[in-house]
């Protein structure tokens, strides 16, 4: 069972340090399009939003590792990502979205089989369908990035973006700094996704 919300501050700090020591590099968001390349977001959820990914912290780690391996191989650039107990979000640049989605579909199939074996739940449906979107503009791009990084806060897992270990938020903040991140948050609000934009929580 996922224990983050019940961890002490020291336990959270140790978990964060451990995750950060094994974190794959976060790739800088582009300032212009590459010829023939397009920017996308993909979201996928567990069936009926059950927290199957968070059966254990080890499962979250392993799934994160496999997901990022696929994206490093199949995409041109990874912009942002966040894995939560029952869903995940990706932002990336690719020249072949179908190939990316096909690889993610195979990951869903492998993980479903392995997790159902692990939990003795053969036949259980693990994944619901995914949603993919092309970024329509720079405004759409940055608002989506704010949405992805704020997702653990929105769902009540942490109070600040960078406190969630399974996300690119800390790399984003390292690159841009708190003041620039706050400007991006203000300039590109996520209220196009939700009725009420939350407070800035860095």
């Amino acid at each position: 069972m996922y224990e983050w919300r019940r961890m002490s501050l020291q336990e959270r700090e140790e978990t964060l340090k451990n995750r950060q020591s094994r974190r794959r590099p976060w790739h800088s968001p582009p300032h212009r399009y590459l010829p023939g390349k397009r920017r996308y977001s993909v979201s996928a959820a567990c069936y009926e939003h059950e927290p199957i990914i968070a059966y254990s912290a080890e499962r979250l780690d392993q799934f994160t590792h496999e997901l990022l391996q696929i994206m490093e191989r199949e995409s041109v650039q990874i912009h942002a990502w966040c894995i939560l107990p029952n869903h995940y979000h990706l932002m990336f640049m690719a020249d072949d979205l179908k190939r990316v989605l096909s690889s993610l579909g195979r990951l869903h199939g492998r993980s479903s089989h392995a997790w159902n074996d692990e939990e003795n739940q053969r036949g259980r449906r693990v994944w619901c369908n995914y949603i993919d979107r092309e970024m329509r503009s720079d405004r759409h791009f940055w608002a989506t990035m704010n949405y992805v990084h704020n997702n653990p806060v929105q769902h009540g897992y942490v109070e600040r973006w960078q406190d969630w270990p399974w996300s690119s938020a800390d790399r984003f903040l390292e690159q841009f700094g708190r003041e620039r991140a706050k400007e991006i948050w203000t300039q590109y609000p996520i209220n196009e996704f939700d009725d009420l934009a939350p407070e800035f929580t860095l």
Side-chain angles (χ1 to χ4, degrees):
M1 181 177 178
Y2 186 56
E3 301 289 342
W4 177 265
R5 286 195 236 191
R6 286 182 279 190
M7 285 182 180
S8 68
L9 182 58
Q10 181 179 353
E11 288 171 331
R12 288 188 177 193
E13 288 175 354
E14 289 172 359
T15 300
L16 281 168
K17 286 178 184 177
N18 181 47
R19 286 286 302 132
Q20 289 165 353
S21 70
R22 294 183 287 131
R23 182 71 47 85
R24 294 178 177 275
W26 188 83
H27 304 283
S28 305
H31 294 286
R32 27 174 92 88
Y33 292 104
L34 296 176
K37 315 299 181 187
R38 296 179 183 272
R39 299 182 296 185
Y40 300 97
S41 70
V42 168
S43 301
C46 293
Y47 186 63
E48 295 185 342
H49 283 269
E50 290 295 317
I52 301 172
I53 308 171
Y55 179 76
S56 66
E58 291 75 21
R59 179 180 288 180
L60 268 164
D61 279 344
Q62 182 63 29
F63 182 74
T64 299
H65 174 76
E66 292 182 24
L67 185 65
L68 293 181
Q69 272 194 326
I70 287 170
M71 297 310 298
E72 287 173 357
R73 183 179 70 243
E74 302 291 1
S75 69
V76 174
Q77 189 172 17
I78 304 169
H79 301 310
W81 54 272
C82 182
I83 294 94
L84 289 129
N86 59 10
H87 68 285
Y88 66 82
H89 300 285
L90 295 167
M91 292 181 65
F92 57 92
M93 180 182 287
D95 54 9
D96 189 344
L97 178 62
K98 287 184 178 179
R99 190 176 71 190
V100 174
L101 295 178
S102 178
S103 293
L104 292 177
R106 288 192 294 273
L107 173 63
H108 288 183
R110 291 194 305 273
S111 59
S112 295
H113 183 78
W115 297 347
N116 284 348
D117 275 354
E118 182 180 358
E119 298 178 52
N120 195 26
Q121 294 271 3
R122 282 192 180 273
R124 175 184 60 175
R125 184 174 177 183
V126 171
W127 293 102
C128 195
N129 211 352
Y130 57 78
I131 297 172
D132 61 89
R133 290 189 177 89
E134 184 175 348
M135 298 292 97
R136 301 183 300 270
S137 63
D138 282 345
R139 183 170 194 83
H140 187 200
F141 176 87
W142 290 110
T144 302
M145 183 168 292
N146 283 333
Y147 179 86
V148 169
H149 287 151
N150 189 67
N151 219 231
V153 177
Q154 180 181 352
H155 289 284
Y157 294 110
V158 290
E159 293 184 359
R160 304 181 307 164
W161 293 3
Q162 65 269 38
D163 289 343
W164 185 248
W166 297 277
S167 164
S168 58
D170 60 341
R171 298 295 183 183
F172 172 79
L173 294 172
E174 283 175 16
Q175 180 175 7
F176 288 92
R178 189 183 187 283
E179 290 308 310
R180 178 59 184 142
K182 189 171 183 179
E183 289 175 7
I184 292 170
W185 176 263
T186 303
Q187 189 174 358
Y188 305 102
I190 67 174
N191 57 2
E192 66 180 80
F193 299 96
D194 294 292
D195 292 335
L196 181 62
E199 296 291 326
F200 185 72
T201 53
L202 294 178

